[in-house]
């Protein structure tokens, strides 16, 4: 528990018009952790990530990175603080090649670091085989790999992953989870939103369960995995 806090969300309240999507969310991510954010559809998981990455401003509450307030800072400036956000739906540029997509991920730097490209192609050999293929023609799994690879090109200290397993076959999902583990072992902290609670909690150190905009449970991943309420609600048991 001694690793320093990297990301802290304090009392976040976020609205879409009159709808209160987050009703006072507190969440902490320490350096080196994988933290899973679980919850049913509409619980506010994506909203939490969007607020952490500056895409949405909270009406109340604070976002702190390394103890410094960053709420109100625009996403393209937040990249400089070391946040990489892989949004739901991936956001691959369909008419750009794989290589061009990856270069876009390094836009905050004057030039593309060859070592970063090599790292991405080592993590995802499939992308290396498809450098000049258009993003829009990649399979769903390959697009997810590209979206993660593009975020890594920005050298993030903290990677926000929004449902990387969405719509993918089980074998590909396992590959993506294995690679997320490897990325974490290489030193990147991860906040992972997942519907796939069992796999997310196997990978994570800790987890949070959101219910209608509030944190309903939090704890060590192993505790959550064996919690009867979690098992009944999110692991298809009971
Ligand atoms: P899912 O797994 O279905 O993506 P989620 O837990 O990520 O769900 P959010 O996408 O954060 O949930 O949505 C939280 C609430 O905010 C939901 O009630 C949703 O309908 C609402 N919401 C999300 N985005 C918008 C938007 N752009 N405009 C209006 N309401 C929104």
């Amino acid at each position: 528990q001694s690793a320093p806090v990297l990301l802290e969300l304090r009392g976040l309240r976020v609205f879409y018009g009159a709808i209160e999507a987050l009703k006072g969310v507190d969440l902490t991510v320490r350096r080196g952790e994988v933290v899973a954010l679980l919850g049913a559809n509409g619980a506010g998981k994506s909203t939490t990530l969007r607020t952490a990455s500056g895409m949405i401003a909270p009406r109340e509450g604070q976002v702190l990175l390394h103890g410094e307030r960053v709420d109100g800072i625009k996403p393209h400036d937040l990249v400089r603080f070391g946040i990489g956000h892989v949004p739901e739906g991936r956001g691959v540029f369909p008419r750009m090649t794989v290589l061009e997509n990856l270069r876009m991920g390094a836009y905050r730097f004057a030039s593309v670091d060859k070592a970063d490209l090599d790292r991405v192609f080592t993590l995802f050999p499939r992308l290396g085989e498809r450098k000049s293929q258009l993003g829009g023609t990649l399979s769903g799994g390959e697009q997810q790999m590209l979206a993660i690879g593009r975020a890594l090109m920005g050298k993030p200290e903290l990677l926000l992953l929004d449902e990387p397993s969405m719509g993918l076959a089980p074998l590909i999902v396992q590959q993506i989870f294995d690679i997320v583990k490897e990325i974490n072992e290489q030193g990147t902290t991860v906040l992972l939103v997942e519907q796939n609670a069992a796999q997310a909690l196997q990978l994570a150190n800790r987890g949070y369960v959101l219910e209608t905009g509030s944190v309903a449970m939090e704890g060590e991943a192993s505790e959550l995995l064996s919690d009867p309420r979690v098992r009944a609600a999110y692991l298809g048991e009971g």
Side-chain angles (χ1 to χ4, degrees):
Q1 285 307 330
S2 53
V5 172
L6 189 51
L7 173 72
E8 190 178 355
L9 308 179
R10 278 191 197 155
L12 287 187
R13 294 184 71 201
V14 173
F15 289 76
Y16 297 106
I19 296 171
E20 188 170 7
L22 298 186
K23 303 172 181 170
V25 167
D26 296 302
L27 180 150
T28 300
V29 181
R30 290 176 180 276
R31 182 176 294 159
E33 283 189 314
V34 176
V35 174
L37 186 53
L38 312 174
N41 284 317
K45 305 178 299 294
S46 298
T47 302
T48 302
L49 289 199
R50 287 187 208 123
T51 310
S53 73
M55 287 169 66
I56 320 180
R59 185 174 296 182
E60 276 177 35
Q62 304 180 349
V63 180
L64 298 107
L65 271 175
H66 298 293
E68 191 179 335
R69 272 191 77 168
V70 296
D71 42 282
I73 295 181
K74 295 276 175 278
H76 54 272
D77 291 322
L78 256 187
V79 172
R80 223 176 293 137
F81 286 77
I83 281 207
H85 186 179
V86 181
E88 201 172 1
R90 292 138 200 174
V92 160
F93 301 114
R95 291 173 177 280
M96 287 187 176
T97 66
V98 165
L99 192 58
E100 287 164 347
N101 267 278
L102 291 174
R103 288 179 179 279
M104 291 294 285
Y107 70 93
R108 73 182 175 116
F109 306 116
S111 62
V112 173
D113 190 337
K114 175 78 168 47
D116 289 334
L117 267 183
D118 289 343
R119 176 190 181 200
V120 170
F121 292 140
T122 304
L123 285 167
F124 303 107
R126 283 234 223 165
L127 296 181
E129 294 159 11
R130 290 158 197 276
K131 288 189 186 91
S132 45
Q133 189 172 328
L134 293 181
T137 66
L138 296 173
S139 72
E142 289 162 357
Q143 290 195 22
Q144 184 61 56
M145 295 173 190
L146 181 54
I148 295 172
R150 187 178 58 190
L152 292 178
M153 293 300 292
K155 299 184 195 286
E157 194 176 0
L158 173 65
L159 195 57
L160 308 175
L161 290 177
D162 201 341
E163 296 205 30
S165 74
M166 172 123 72
L168 304 182
L171 200 65
I172 309 288
V173 171
Q174 190 53 54
Q175 280 176 21
I176 300 268
F177 273 88
D178 289 345
I179 291 165
V180 171
K181 183 172 201 271
E182 198 173 336
I183 290 168
N184 174 251
E185 285 167 357
Q186 291 174 353
T188 307
T189 305
V190 177
L191 178 56
L192 171 70
V193 163
E194 261 298 331
Q195 292 277 347
N196 207 325
Q199 263 171 311
L201 288 173
Q202 275 157 26
L203 177 69
N205 304 103
R206 291 189 304 112
Y208 290 80
V209 178
L210 279 185
E211 277 173 17
T212 57
S214 302
V215 175
M217 274 183 267
E218 64 175 283
E220 297 295 317
S222 55
E223 285 167 21
L224 291 177
L225 258 179
S226 57
D227 186 294
R229 289 166 300 170
V230 174
R231 300 193 74 87
Y234 302 104
L235 303 177
E237 291 181 18

